[in-house]
Amino acid sequence: MHSGTSSNLAKNDPTAQDPAEAADVFETCLDKTCHALLAVKAATPSEVAEAAELCRKSKSDGRPMDLLEATAKIQGREEPQISDAVNALAEKLSITLNTAPPLIPFAAKLITPTAFYESFDRIHRIAADLLVPVIFVEDTDAIGVASINPIAAEMLSQIIQDAVSRRFGIRPFMTILRLDHESWSFLTRKHFGS
């Protein structure tokens, strides 16, 4: 797995993200995750609405929070039970996707794909907004993303495929994986400083 520069990666992202697009991606992810939580009956409508507002406030305060973590907090979970609660919510959400992403327990050991993030600054910013680390990049042919929130990971996967396709004319093979809460917390701090 490559963490250094890659000959296939250009230096600048020609599809620079504007703030309105970032807000749209964040809100779309929040909306899809809210609907999924309600569909699997993992939270009540009032819990989901309150958790969504907590996510918006956290993001505006510069401390992004995933909806699953916010939902667990709204439901009264505290450390150390919050990790188990978030993991249970993630498991429930994964059944809403066509293919449930497998849980990968060793992702925290993988090298940060710095060259990919530098080459695709827009992707790095979106990944930070969605709290979805890119966990591996094999040039632009195979890329993996992972999160506690499988819906957010799927969204970032599609954005990456589109960006790589526009720049290089190829659609990378994407791997979408789930992380446990502890690994996710570690990786989001490592990749995004959050």
Side-chain angles (χ1 to χ4, degrees):
M1 294 177 199
H2 304 294
S3 64
T5 57
S6 170
S7 60
N8 285 348
L9 299 177
K11 277 290 177 200
N12 297 312
D13 185 354
T15 56
Q17 174 190 28
D18 66 40
E21 180 195 22
D24 287 347
V25 170
F26 175 79
E27 283 297 325
T28 300
C29 182
L30 202 58
D31 187 57
K32 286 182 175 186
T33 306
C34 286
H35 282 92
L37 283 171
L38 293 171
V40 297
K41 299 180 180 6
T44 67
S46 63
E47 289 170 338
V48 168
E50 192 175 344
E53 282 309 308
L54 180 58
C55 287
R56 288 182 186 103
K57 181 175 181 347
S58 293
K59 184 177 184 302
S60 70
D61 291 345
R63 296 177 332 232
M65 176 184 292
D66 187 84
L67 186 66
L68 302 186
E69 194 171 40
T71 301
K73 287 182 179 191
I74 295 300
Q75 291 176 335
R77 304 304 195 292
E78 295 180 21
E79 292 298 340
Q81 298 88 12
I82 197 160
S83 286
D84 290 339
V86 170
N87 292 338
L89 289 170
E91 179 71 28
K92 288 180 181 179
L93 276 194
S94 63
I95 66 167
T96 66
L97 302 178
N98 288 335
T99 303
L103 183 65
I104 180 169
F106 57 85
K109 297 177 184 178
L110 298 174
I111 298 169
T112 304
T114 306
F116 179 79
Y117 284 149
E118 288 173 356
S119 179
F120 287 90
D121 185 57
R122 171 182 169 262
I123 298 299
H124 189 229
R125 289 191 308 268
I126 292 172
D129 280 351
L130 298 180
L131 297 170
V132 179
V134 174
I135 59 168
F136 70 84
V137 176
E138 293 294 333
D139 291 321
T140 53
D141 301 320
I143 301 170
V145 298
S147 180
I148 57 168
N149 184 338
I151 292 169
E154 183 177 61
M155 280 187 65
L156 183 64
S157 168
Q158 292 169 358
I159 291 167
I160 289 171
Q161 273 196 329
D162 292 344
V164 170
S165 177
R166 279 195 309 273
R167 189 181 295 180
F168 299 113
I170 60 166
R171 292 189 69 78
F173 176 78
M174 295 298 305
T175 301
I176 301 170
L177 301 162
R178 256 184 329 115
L179 298 170
D180 61 80
H181 185 254
E182 287 181 25
S183 296
W184 172 79
S185 295
F186 173 79
L187 282 176
T188 55
R189 284 191 306 273
K190 183 177 171 185
H191 287 227
F192 314 125
S194 50

